[in-house]
Amino acid sequence: MAIATRGLTKRFDGVAAVDGVDLEVPAGSVYGFLGPNGSGKTTTIRMLLGLIDPTAGTWELLGHSMPAHAQDALTRVGALIEGPAFYPWLSGRDNLARLDAAGPDGQRGTRPARIEAALTRVGLTAAAGKKYRAYSLGMRQRLGLAAALLRTRQLLVLDEPTNGMDPQGTREIRNLVAELASEGTTVFLSSHLLAEVEQICTHAGVMSEGRLLTQGTLTELRSEGGSRLRVEVDDPVAAGPVLARLGLGDIETEGDIVTAKLDGQPPEVCNRDLVQAGIGVRALSVERPSLEDLFVSLTGEGFDVAR
Ligand SMILES: Nc1ncnc2c1ncn2[C@@H]1O[C@H](COP(=O)(O)OP(=O)(O)O)[C@@H](O)[C@H]1O
Ligand SMILES: [Mg+2]
């Protein structure tokens, strides 16, 4: 496991911001750490990186138990967290040079090449000479990412990396994450935008009010949400009982469209039974639930609820 936590908990004034979280982030995965604003993502990440102490719980980074072996672990971890410390009066490029010089093993000889490579990867070459204070939020995020990429890392921890970015920037980050993953870097990224993350992750964990509701591969999570059958028929009143006999649940009818939870029943069997019952099937499809559907089914709430 690249990240493993047991009962990780943080209370602020007695209130749990993170409550008994057991994360399992496999090496080589792209893990989406999802949840609405205020659900405890940043607090969890701060604990993982040893920036704040947990109230309770234990955790390991890259097999090193933390915080005892923080030195060994953290040199292999790159991070982008809220509000990275850059000097406003220096250019993006000069900020990276300062940061690299201050770090533990930023070899001087390779520094200029590493800086240019990182700037290129995040698409900041053209703006590298501009002062940080003139950067937009999206450019600041890119510089933070470049800082995390100055050295080769086994694990990247990115807190809302697309925050403040336009759709084009978001696509670029997505491509960058895919590229890093293909090089073998484990990427753990948080987001409150489920649809966006769904496209790049192999695994996800869903947070709500400080608790990890569920985690697993995207395939596992989607099947947990439950695929739905959608049929367009000439006799919706007759179709409902046919699907019910097959064990489909949560049957809903709207006009000539009937939808129901498949619960493992193959769609072709549904089709056959409908046709055998003399019902004309005009269209049939299976709707895979999105992570957002899963979240709603787990919490009974819309996703964009701020605490
Ligand atoms: N330093 C702090 N002191 C008190 N409460 C905090 C502090 N940091 C975070 N919180 C609270 O913890 C909860 C989770 O916050 P956070 O981890 O930032 O969520 P997210 O990153 O998912 O938006 C929120 O209710 C927030 O107000
Ligand atoms: Mg946050």
Side-chain angles (χ1 to χ4, degrees), residues 145-214:
L145 264 173
L149 297 173
L150 279 174
R151 293 162 225 166
T152 311
R153 314 288 198 171
Q154 266 172 265
L155 169 66
L156 279 176
V157 177
L158 311 176
D159 193 12
E160 307 260 4
T162 58
N163 211 3
M165 289 196 183
D166 57 16
Q168 168 65 19
T170 301
R171 263 195 302 279
E172 287 175 29
I173 297 305
R174 224 159 33 215
N175 292 340
L176 176 61
V177 166
E179 195 179 300
L180 291 162
S182 75
E183 292 164 12
T185 307
T186 305
V187 183
F188 179 81
L189 77 158
S190 79
S191 181
H192 65 283
L193 303 171
L194 268 65
E196 176 186 307
V197 163
E198 206 162 351
Q199 301 178 43
I200 47 171
C201 291
T202 59
H203 294 67
V206 181
M207 292 285 287
S208 173
E209 301 190 352
R211 289 171 181 274
L212 185 66
L213 297 180
T214 183

